[in-house]
Amino acid sequence: MDRMSLLSASCATGAVACLLVVPAQAATSCAALAQELRLPHTTITLAAEVPAGSFKLPGPAGPGGTGMDLSALPSFCRVAGTIRPTADSDIRFEVWMPLTGWNGRSVGGGNGVWAGSIAYGDMVGPLGRGYATAATDVAHQGSPLDGTFLTGHPEKLTDFGHRAVHESTVAAKATIAKFYGEGPQRSLYASCSTGGRIGLMEAYRYPEDYDGISAIAPANPMVPLMVMSLWTGNATMKNETSRIPAPKFALVQKAAMEACDADDGVRDGIIGNPPTCKFDPAMLQCKGDDAPECLTAPQVQALRAIYEGPRNPRTKEQIYPGLSVGAE
C-alpha cells in the first residue's frame, strides 16, 4: 500500500493521519522503511505489512501474552531492527504501526524478569486500540529466568539496566515519524516488573522519552529485591520438609484472612494493614504427621522467614522487607 492510499484509507476511518501533510522525507511504503529509514548504530532487519488477523508469533509472547487473540489484530506495518550502541550490545526491537486508524499516539513497554525476547504481549492491546507500539528484548536473547548473559559484560549490564529501552524508544519514535510523516503527538509507557523498573529508569534518566509513564509493580531496587527472592527460595527449599506445596499457601492465606481481615472494621477479603496483623502460621502446625490441612514445623519456620525478610547476618539490618501476610 503506498502512502497516498494509506492516507485515503485512514481518512475513511476518521484517523489523525488524514489530517497530516506528508513531508518529502516520509517513507513511500512500509516495505520502503528497510531502505529509507536511517538510524544511528541501527540495522533494520524487517519492514513488512501484516494483513489483519494474520500475525503469528515468531517466538515467546513475553509478559502479558497469555490468552492473546491475534485474530483480532488490525493490519499493521511491522518493523524490526537491531541496535548496537557498543561493540558488545545486541538490542532487538520491534515497532507496530496501524495501516489505518492511527490515533496519533505511541505506547512503549519493557519486559519481565531477565527479558530475552520481544514482549509481544505488551504490543497486542495498544495496537488494537489504534496506537503505534514498540517493545524490546532488553538487550539479549534467551530465557527470562537466566541472567548469566550479564557475567563479564558490563555494556550488556548497562543496556539491560536502562540503555536498551531508551535506544529502542528513540528508534521507535523515529520509525513512526518516518512512516506517518509526523511523530506521535503523545508517547506513553506502560509495563510491569522489570518493565516497571525500566519505567522508573526512563523517568529518572531520560525524562524526554515519554509524556506519561505507568511503572507497574517495579522490580526495584534490583539488588536487594534479588536477595529477597533468593532468601524466600532458600527458606522453602532448604530440604524436603520445609518445602511448601501450593495448596498449603492457599490454606495459609485463608487462615491469615480469618485472623486479620476484620482488623480495619470491614470484612472485604483484604488485610488493610498487614504489618499489624498478628497472624502466626504456628496456629496451623500439625499435631502429628504431615497432612494437607496443616503445616510441618519446618514449613512454619519457612513461612516466618518469608514474612521476616532478609537481614544482614552481622548487623541484623533489614535488607529488604519480607512478603506480606495475606499475600500468600
Side-chain angles (χ1 to χ4, degrees), residues 16-267:
V16 172
C18 68
L19 303 177
L20 301 177
V21 177
V22 182
Q25 68 270 22
T28 54
S29 68
C30 176
L33 287 169
Q35 289 76 42
E36 298 176 12
L37 185 61
R38 296 288 182 265
L39 302 172
H41 45 255
T42 299
T43 301
I44 301 301
T45 56
L46 172 71
E49 291 185 11
V50 179
S54 68
F55 182 67
K56 305 297 182 184
L57 286 176
T66 304
M68 290 188 302
D69 182 10
L70 299 179
S71 67
L73 282 179
S75 57
F76 64 97
C77 174
R78 180 187 176 200
V79 176
T82 300
I83 308 172
R84 292 189 170 93
T86 75
D88 199 27
S89 296
D90 188 8
I91 303 165
R92 312 286 177 88
F93 74 99
E94 288 203 19
V95 187
W96 294 359
M97 299 168 287
L99 291 181
T100 62
W102 181 45
N103 63 15
R105 300 181 179 188
S106 68
V107 173
N111 215 300
V113 200
W114 296 108
S117 61
I118 299 293
Y120 293 111
D122 282 349
M123 302 178 76
V124 171
L127 181 72
R129 293 192 288 273
Y131 292 87
T133 182
T136 174
D137 63 4
V138 199
H140 83 108
Q141 300 78 53
S143 169
L145 301 180
D146 183 359
T148 57
F149 71 98
L150 297 172
T151 304
H153 295 277
E155 294 295 349
K156 289 187 183 298
L157 179 60
T158 298
D159 287 337
F160 179 79
H162 59 87
R163 188 165 55 198
V165 170
H166 169 65
E167 290 278 353
S168 297
T169 298
V170 172
K173 292 166 81 171
T175 302
I176 293 166
K178 186 67 175 176
F179 182 60
Y180 290 118
E182 182 174 285
Q185 299 169 353
R186 181 159 296 189
S187 296
L188 308 172
Y189 177 96
S191 194
C192 70
S193 191
T194 288
R197 175 192 63 77
I198 293 170
L200 297 179
M201 294 295 275
E202 276 288 308
Y204 179 72
R205 290 177 176 268
Y206 311 106
E208 299 302 317
D209 278 1
Y210 291 101
D211 300 298
I213 291 174
S214 179
I216 309 162
N220 181 73
M222 193 71 168
V223 172
L225 175 62
M226 292 300 101
V227 172
M228 187 275 288
S229 296
L230 291 170
W231 172 274
T232 301
N234 181 64
T236 60
M237 298 174 68
K238 283 181 179 179
N239 51 60
E240 196 60 37
T241 59
S242 63
R243 191 182 303 274
I244 304 174
K248 287 198 177 185
F249 278 111
L251 173 74
V252 173
Q253 179 159 1
K254 181 180 178 182
M257 287 294 176
E258 290 175 352
C260 300
D261 183 3
D263 286 357
D264 58 0
V266 180
R267 282 203 171 271

